[in-house]
Amino acid sequence: VDDTRVPREQHDALQRDLDVRQREVEVLRAQSVEDARVANEQHDALRKALHVGQQEVEALRARSVEDARVAKERSEALESEVQVLTESLARSTDKERVLKEERDALQKEVEALRAESLAWSVDDTRVPREQHDALQRDLDVRQREGEVLR
């Protein structure tokens, strides 16, 4: 008997251990392949999500630029409108001041004509009747002009 040979029980035990380890290697290899497949799928999904995110960022940038352009145009239009309204208000204020001055002047004229008319009615001999009637008509017209200006 050759002592260099491995006894049969030890050989069988080593063979079983080898078989178990080979099955473990096969399982690990299969798991590794599956893990790699899942990792590739996740990587592809993340890459697609990144691409979509980049497109969304670009769209938001473009919209932001457009919104800023529209806001600037609207701001300029509003500034122009404010300028026009300010100038219109200044003209309106000037017109109001001129009309008030004209109304005040007409009011003074009306008061003077009333005083003159009263003086004439006291002394009918001073002014002929036609002249008195003409002055009265003039007084009435100026009073109406004063009322319109008010």
Side-chain angles (χ1 to χ4, degrees), residues 65-75:
V65 167
E66 178 63 14
D67 289 349
R69 185 191 62 75
V70 167
K72 182 180 178 199
E73 287 176 0
R74 180 152 168 72
S75 174

Side-chain angles (χ1 to χ4, degrees), residues 89-102:
L89 178 62
R91 285 192 303 273
S92 176
T93 303
D94 288 345
K95 285 179 185 176
E96 184 179 335
R97 181 186 48 76
V98 168
L99 288 174
K100 184 178 182 305
E101 290 171 359
E102 287 178 4

Side-chain angles (χ1 to χ4, degrees), residues 27-108:
V27 168
L28 288 173
R29 194 175 283 141
Q31 284 177 341
S32 175
V33 168
E34 179 62 16
D35 290 347
R37 186 190 62 75
V38 169
N40 283 336
E41 287 176 359
Q42 289 175 342
H43 178 3
D44 289 345
L46 288 172
R47 197 177 61 224
K48 287 176 185 173
L50 175 63
H51 180 69
V52 168
Q54 288 171 334
Q55 288 176 328
E56 290 174 352
V57 166
E58 287 302 316
L60 287 172
R61 270 193 197 122
R63 191 169 64 206
S64 175
V65 167
E66 178 63 14
D67 289 349
R69 185 191 62 75
V70 167
K72 182 180 178 199
E73 287 176 0
R74 180 152 168 72
S75 174
E76 289 170 353
L78 287 173
E79 286 175 8
S80 176
E81 189 174 334
V82 165
Q83 180 65 28
V84 167
L85 289 173
T86 301
E87 291 169 0
S88 176
L89 178 62
R91 285 192 303 273
S92 176
T93 303
D94 288 345
K95 285 179 185 176
E96 184 179 335
R97 181 186 48 76
V98 168
L99 288 174
K100 184 178 182 305
E101 290 171 359
E102 287 178 4
R103 186 190 71 208
D104 292 346
L106 285 173
Q107 187 65 36
K108 287 179 184 175

